[in-house]
Amino acid sequence: MVDLKGQYEAIREVVDRSIAEVIDTTSFINGPEVRAFQKELETYLGVRHVIPCANGTDALQIAMMGLGLQPGDEVITADFTFAATVEVIALLQLTPVLVDVEPDTFNIDPEAVRKAITPKTKAIVPVHLFGQCANMDAIMDIAREHNLYVIEDNAQGIGATYTFEHGKKVKTGAIGDVAATSFFPSKNLGCYGDGGAIFTNDDDLAHVIRGIVNHGMYERYHHDVVGVNSRLDSIQAAVLRAKLPLLDAYNERRKEAATKYTAAFEGEDKIVTPVLVGEPDSHVYHQYTLKVKGADRDALVAFLGAHDIPCGVYYPIPLHRQKAYLDKRYDEKDFPVTNKLVEEVISLPMHTELDDEQIAYITSTIKAFINK
Ligand SMILES: *Cc1c(COP(=O)(O)O)cnc(C)c1O
């Protein structure tokens, strides 16, 4: 699905040198690399504060802790996303409220959000799924109207730019009250282990969060709030510093691969290719996800496997049907889109090193299956 080795070969010298420097200086934790990466990412995103942490799941949890959400508060998020998003809501004893998504973008449906709001609702978590910006015009409007926090899950969207209806362009992760991202190796900006970060433009919230990630300490050995221990280590920061200047080029390469995939499927009526909503820079193709109509998706997965083509089904089960997140309030009728997507979606190999030959082999194999 990804070619991390090929990507590493191209930047081996600078990465190896940066890692060796960290080892040389032995400042493994909170070293100058971490601070430098933080500043560089703040500049890239156009956001006032980046707070690095240990992984994307922690980032989501810490963002919610920082906002002071309390047990029983309802947090609305998408039914069709990775479990981390809903997991941290439940873990903090907040109440997850899952809602349906849009069929074209796979992203949270603003109308479904509106319908799910109750007096207990405190926050909305849009996920920029597969790298496509969620509808932030509608979500920010709803949040303003109902006085709700917006927590962006930007784990799959880093580098994407949202263009508001009035024309303003903002990078995902710099739009809501706070955002979380992951530097898991296969993400668009990935390190060589675990990593994550929280973003916010709010100075006070940034201060609160900097304490939370460090055991609730604002002054050494004074623990004002219950915190966690969540750090990005210096070696990961060094890798990320080497890759950040290449992020736009990496995302451009993903986009080129996506364009070639889509062109190859033109005229195939059993294959629905991803729909780009908004400007071309609003999608960074963390995944290239097809919908298979009128053919057996699972048989296609098996067929590709037999031809040594990796593929993924993200996600095979809606969160509202996962044992851990069952809730009597959910009604199957409220999830028509997610319930259908889980049977139709298939994600193809997507990374920065895909070449024309690979794309031709993958697409011709898929076409051979659906037309046989
Ligand atoms: C990867 C991912 C996360 C979690 O990131 P980790 O670093 O693996 O903890 C959260 N949300 C989404 C949408 C993701 O894709």
Side-chain angles (χ1 to χ4, degrees):
M1 286 298 278
V2 295
D3 181 4
L4 298 174
K5 180 83 181 172
Q7 194 190 60
Y8 167 64
E9 292 300 342
I11 53 173
R12 180 194 279 268
E13 236 176 274
V14 43
V15 167
D16 287 4
R17 192 172 351 105
S18 309
I19 292 176
E21 267 167 35
V22 172
I23 298 172
D24 226 34
T25 57
T26 69
S27 53
F28 297 117
I29 300 291
N30 288 334
E33 290 293 318
V34 179
R35 226 148 314 134
F37 171 64
Q38 171 198 322
K39 290 276 168 247
E40 286 157 10
L41 189 56
E42 285 166 356
T43 303
Y44 173 83
L45 292 168
V47 73
R48 286 180 60 79
H49 304 280
V50 166
I51 302 115
C53 66
N55 59 66
T57 310
D58 274 9
L60 282 164
Q61 178 184 330
I62 293 159
M64 289 177 204
M65 290 169 76
L67 291 172
L69 299 181
Q70 294 299 316
D73 287 350
E74 293 180 2
V75 178
I76 300 174
T77 193
D79 190 29
F80 191 63
T81 174
F82 182 53
T85 324
V86 64
E87 178 178 56
V88 299
I89 299 172
L91 205 60
L92 294 172
Q93 294 181 295
L94 314 174
T95 305
V97 177
L98 298 167
V99 301
D100 211 5
V101 296
E102 300 172 327
D104 289 344
T105 62
F106 311 112
N107 277 324
I108 195 163
D109 179 349
E111 280 318 302
V113 172
R114 236 177 234 290
K115 275 175 48 190
I117 291 170
T118 76
K120 287 183 176 170
T121 308
K122 288 284 151 47
I124 310 170
V125 186
V127 183
H128 304 295
L129 200 74
F130 304 152
Q132 161 86 67
C133 297
N135 181 345
M136 296 308 289
D137 273 289
I139 289 160
M140 297 309 286
D141 281 352
I142 295 169
R144 264 188 294 271
E145 244 173 78
H146 296 271
N147 202 20
L148 307 175
Y149 294 121
V150 173
I151 304 158
E152 296 176 75
D153 182 340
N154 199 30
Q156 301 188 5
I158 198 154
T161 302
Y162 187 77
T163 305
F164 282 89
E165 278 156 17
H166 53 68
K168 191 174 172 201
K169 280 179 168 289
V170 188
K171 282 249 171 9
T172 55
I175 302 169
D177 296 281
V178 61
T181 203
S182 164
F183 305 122
F184 187 80
S186 64
K187 308 283 178 174
N188 290 37
L189 179 62
C191 58
Y192 292 172
D194 272 310
I198 303 133
F199 315 145
T200 184
N201 283 309
D202 182 327
D203 296 350
D204 296 333
L205 180 59
H207 172 74
V208 170
I209 288 174
R210 285 205 180 93
I212 291 174
V213 298
N214 188 26
H215 303 288
M217 275 197 287
Y218 297 90
E219 199 185 320
R220 204 162 168 75
Y221 298 120
H222 293 250
H223 303 274
D224 294 357
V225 296
V226 178
V228 295
N229 170 31
S230 190
R231 298 183 281 239
L232 180 75
D233 68 72
S234 304
I235 288 182
Q236 301 312 329
V239 172
L240 290 164
R241 285 192 75 198
K243 290 176 75 172
L244 180 60
L246 301 168
L247 178 59
D248 285 343
Y250 284 159
N251 283 339
E252 206 47 52
R253 293 237 278 276
R254 289 172 174 273
K255 212 165 298 170
E256 282 164 18
T259 305
K260 287 174 186 166
Y261 272 139
T262 295
F265 292 122
E266 213 184 283
E268 296 290 345
D269 55 5
K270 289 179 181 167
I271 295 289
V272 180
T273 52
V275 179
L276 174 85
V277 173
E279 301 293 315
D281 55 1
S282 74
H283 202 327
V284 291
Y285 295 96
H286 175 61
Q287 298 293 350
Y288 181 86
T289 302
L290 301 172
K291 288 186 278 184
V292 180
K293 304 262 188 192
D296 185 337
R297 190 271 319 266
D298 294 330
L300 173 59
V301 170
F303 187 78
L304 292 177
H307 288 78
D308 294 324
I309 297 173
C311 63
V313 172
Y314 310 120
Y315 297 92
I317 305 169
L319 290 173
H320 81 272
R321 280 198 253 136
Q322 297 282 1
K323 221 191 269 177
Y325 305 114
L326 296 176
D327 186 322
K328 282 196 264 314
R329 288 177 304 177
Y330 295 146
D331 182 340
E332 285 305 320
K333 285 199 299 290
D334 292 332
F335 303 98
V337 178
T338 309
N339 282 341
K340 207 151 176 250
L341 288 177
V342 294
E343 292 172 0
E344 293 178 342
V345 289
I346 180 169
S347 299
L348 305 186
M350 174 49 76
H351 52 84
T352 57
E353 316 300 310
L354 269 177
D355 62 33
D356 289 355
E357 202 182 321
Q358 290 167 326
I359 291 172
Y361 178 61
I362 295 163
T363 54
S364 63
T365 308
I366 293 172
K367 286 194 271 191
F369 173 85
I370 57 169
N371 294 313
K372 79 172 175 220

